[in-house]
Amino acid sequence: MTTTSVLSVSYLVAVLLAGLALWTIRFEFGGKAATRLQWAAPAAFAVLAAAVLLAVSTGKRFELWAAVIVVGLVAGAVAGALKKVNQDHGRQLIRVPPAWDGVGATALLLLLALLRFVTSSLMGRQSSGFGVLAAGATFLAAYIAARFIVVRFYKAPKSIHLDMTHGRDPHRTLAH
């Protein structure tokens, strides 16, 4: 395989992973109860998509990437801390009210991955070598991961118990 085809496959893998992140976060958009694994999947797919984009980035800007990781983690932690969370401790289901921030972040990540694939693989445009696209993807992945970590390990254990059914919105006000 040539370097160009390896890059094209890598960009396509990043698009697939970002698409999976968007697909797996759909429960949050509807405010439906989801398992802990379902909560972890979007963050894992987003981090993997960003890692692929970082690995094949032509612009190796480590200081920029480190800065966006820190800013993304802080922004995601704040967003996670502001969420109202309920958990069914017996069924290990977690629910937040319908939210746009996670869906928006994963949609932007998918858009960045598609942009890289289309411009580099289909249009043949050479990267300018600044690593900005990979930095944007890294910020979004850090944001999504930090939100998950705060919701799962900080907010959910302290939340009140509500009886929930998997994949359903119990139509109750989230109290915590």
Side-chain angles (χ1 to χ4, degrees):
M1 278 187 137
T2 65
T3 304
T4 307
S5 62
V6 169
L7 287 175
S8 293
V9 169
S10 298
Y11 297 144
L12 201 52
V13 167
V15 168
L16 176 67
L17 290 167
L20 286 170
L22 182 59
W23 174 255
T24 56
I25 204 165
R26 69 189 184 283
F27 65 86
E28 189 178 311
F29 178 70
K32 296 183 169 113
T35 64
R36 294 172 182 173
L37 181 62
Q38 286 175 307
W39 268 89
F45 287 133
V47 168
L48 289 172
V52 168
L53 290 172
L54 282 175
V56 296
S57 177
T58 57
K60 302 296 183 196
R61 303 276 311 260
F62 298 111
E63 67 283 350
L64 173 64
W65 297 346
V68 296
I69 288 171
V70 169
V71 172
L73 288 173
V74 169
V78 169
L82 294 175
K83 294 219 173 293
K84 293 182 178 182
V85 179
N86 284 129
Q87 180 173 215
D88 186 326
H89 296 278
R91 294 185 181 124
Q92 298 181 343
L93 297 173
I94 300 172
R95 179 186 171 266
V96 297
W100 286 87
D101 64 325
V103 174
T106 54
L108 282 174
L109 180 63
L110 177 60
L111 182 66
L112 288 176
L114 277 169
L115 183 66
R116 173 56 70 204
F117 175 70
V118 168
T119 58
S120 296
S121 298
L122 299 181
M123 294 174 59
R125 187 187 72 78
Q126 293 296 324
S127 173
S128 59
F130 293 114
V132 175
L133 189 136
T138 303
F139 168 79
L140 294 168
Y143 176 85
I144 295 164
R147 275 178 69 248
F148 161 70
I149 291 168
V150 169
V151 165
R152 168 62 183 91
F153 295 105
Y154 176 70
K155 295 290 282 193
K158 297 182 350 178
S159 67
I160 64 167
H161 174 82
L162 285 179
D163 292 328
M164 292 186 247
T165 304
H166 182 263
R168 302 280 248 189
D169 180 353
H171 299 292
R172 288 187 223 128
T173 303
L174 294 164
H176 189 267

